[in-house]
Amino acid sequence: NISASPSYIAHRGSYFGNVGGQLALSPKGGQVAYVKWVNGTPELYVSATTAGAKPALLSANNQFKATVTAFYNLIFPDEKNLLFMSGQVYYYMDLFRYEVATKKLMNLSGSGGVTRPFDGQGDFSPQGAWTSPNGKWFYWVGYDYYATPSPTADIMAVDLSTYKHSKITSGARVSTSADGLVACQKDGNV
């Protein structure tokens, strides 16, 4: 019963906020992911929506170190994969992929470690996240507080067919409003 544990719900549509999206339903409704607060600590779960399904705890200590206390921007691009951002706090995030069938968890952005348990010391703060209209790309604006000589906000992307991560801009100061950016209706590129 997750009704006793309110979460921030991701907007249905092409984009959602910076530290929201703590509840997600897969496109065909077969999977649900949610953040549940237990004794002041967030726990990330994924479950089939069928009766009697046992939720999988993704935030267990064998997956993440105890210092990881933030799980945001949960999204299912399809029935088989969950993407989410996680880190020690909202400004030390990485992008993760969870394969539902294999129960495999991978760090796609890689800055906070690529082996389990993940340390949660990513290098960006999500300032907006969205999918392309054609569903082929997942984008976000990653704000880097520690870039020198001054902070930057770059567009990052994941190809949803290969799950390869790429940096679209470098050293930019992109507006951190997700609705300030528009994806091309023809090819889904920003």
Side-chain angles (χ1 to χ4, degrees):
N1 179 4
I2 64 167
S3 61
S5 176
S7 293
Y8 296 101
I9 299 172
H11 295 267
R12 277 294 202 194
S14 59
Y15 70 89
F16 45 99
N18 55 354
V19 291
Q22 292 186 312
L23 178 65
L25 186 64
S26 62
K28 294 181 181 175
Q31 300 288 328
V32 64
Y34 57 92
V35 175
K36 178 180 176 183
W37 288 82
V38 178
N39 298 323
T41 302
E43 293 181 350
L44 175 59
Y45 291 89
V46 174
S47 179
T49 56
T50 54
K54 184 174 171 40
L57 175 62
L58 298 190
S59 54
N61 286 337
N62 64 336
Q63 301 283 7
F64 291 94
K65 293 185 179 178
T67 54
V68 175
T69 60
F71 299 96
Y72 297 113
N73 294 325
L74 283 58
I75 185 170
F76 283 98
D78 54 37
E79 295 295 311
K80 299 176 183 179
N81 296 281
L82 170 71
L83 295 180
F84 64 93
M85 296 177 183
S86 183
Q88 290 181 353
V89 291
Y90 74 91
Y91 49 87
Y92 286 131
M93 303 292 265
D94 270 315
L95 180 68
F96 291 89
R97 173 187 177 199
Y98 176 71
E99 289 181 338
V100 175
T102 63
K103 298 182 178 6
K104 186 175 179 184
L105 184 63
M106 296 155 276
N107 185 341
L108 297 181
S109 51
S111 56
V114 293
T115 58
R116 295 179 302 166
F118 300 109
D119 64 19
Q121 295 182 358
D123 65 357
F124 70 85
S125 170
Q127 298 294 312
W130 64 100
T131 54
S132 63
N134 63 11
K136 294 181 180 182
W137 290 89
F138 176 73
Y139 298 103
W140 72 96
V141 176
Y143 190 84
D144 184 351
Y145 289 98
Y146 302 104
T148 55
S150 62
T152 62
D154 287 305
I155 298 174
M156 314 296 251
V158 168
D159 179 331
L160 295 177
S161 64
T162 64
Y163 290 96
K164 297 293 182 199
H165 167 263
S166 59
K167 193 173 190 178
I168 305 298
T169 64
S170 183
R173 290 184 176 208
V174 176
S175 167
T176 56
S177 171
D179 54 340
L181 301 168
V182 178
C184 174
Q185 294 293 327
K186 184 175 180 181
D187 63 11
N189 292 320
V190 173

